[in-house]
Amino acid sequence: SVEVPEILVAVADLDTGNRRRDRQMREMFEESRFPLIVAHTDPMTLAATPLLDQISNLAGEVGFQLKIRDIRHQVTAAVEYLEITEDSITAEITFPVSLADFQLSPPSVMGFIRALDRIDVTTTLTLKAR
């Protein structure tokens, strides 16, 4: 069985589809000082059948604590897609992030237009038993 109490995401791996915007985003996150974004979850064991039953019965939401730099906030994500097999769980989740909650200043465009405070994040997670 495998316990998964946290999920680590490298800031360098974040991709908006625009190189200039990605560079600004990495500067905003202070990637050199804080290279990882961490999602803290309650410990879970993939081999535990009751857990798989609980996950398959999710009401379309999952909660976790998101840590950006040294600040943590509780986040609720909508589960858009869920696939459970004997040895893995794959989920596509979407959740909003307020930059102000993490004391981040949105980057500006052309020096005077600020990006929005709220960012909608979509990611696919796959948890596998070893």
Side-chain angles (χ1 to χ4, degrees), residues 21-89:
R21 188 171 47 218
D22 290 347
R23 184 173 30 83
Q24 289 178 324
M25 175 182 58
R26 290 182 183 106
E27 288 172 7
M28 177 187 69
F29 283 123
E30 296 181 58
E31 177 187 12
S32 61
R33 287 185 59 210
F34 304 99
L36 297 175
I37 294 173
V38 182
H40 293 272
T41 64
D42 291 332
M44 57 180 120
T45 305
L46 294 183
T49 303
L51 172 71
L52 294 179
D53 291 342
Q54 288 175 4
I55 289 174
S56 63
N57 291 325
L58 281 176
E61 292 185 345
V62 62
F64 56 92
Q65 270 200 6
L66 187 63
K67 178 183 172 196
I68 298 177
R69 300 193 304 182
D70 286 333
I71 300 171
R72 293 179 190 221
H73 274 280
Q74 188 68 25
V75 174
T76 300
V79 179
E80 305 292 336
Y81 166 81
L82 183 66
E83 179 182 336
I84 300 170
T85 66
E86 245 180 64
D87 62 349
S88 70
I89 300 168

Side-chain angles (χ1 to χ4, degrees), residues 9 14-15 77-81 91-97 119-125:
V9 177
L14 300 176
D15 182 6
V79 179
E80 305 292 336
Y81 166 81
E92 182 177 285
I93 61 172
T94 302
F95 56 94
V97 172
I119 297 171
D120 290 321
V121 177
T122 300
T123 189
T124 301
L125 305 172

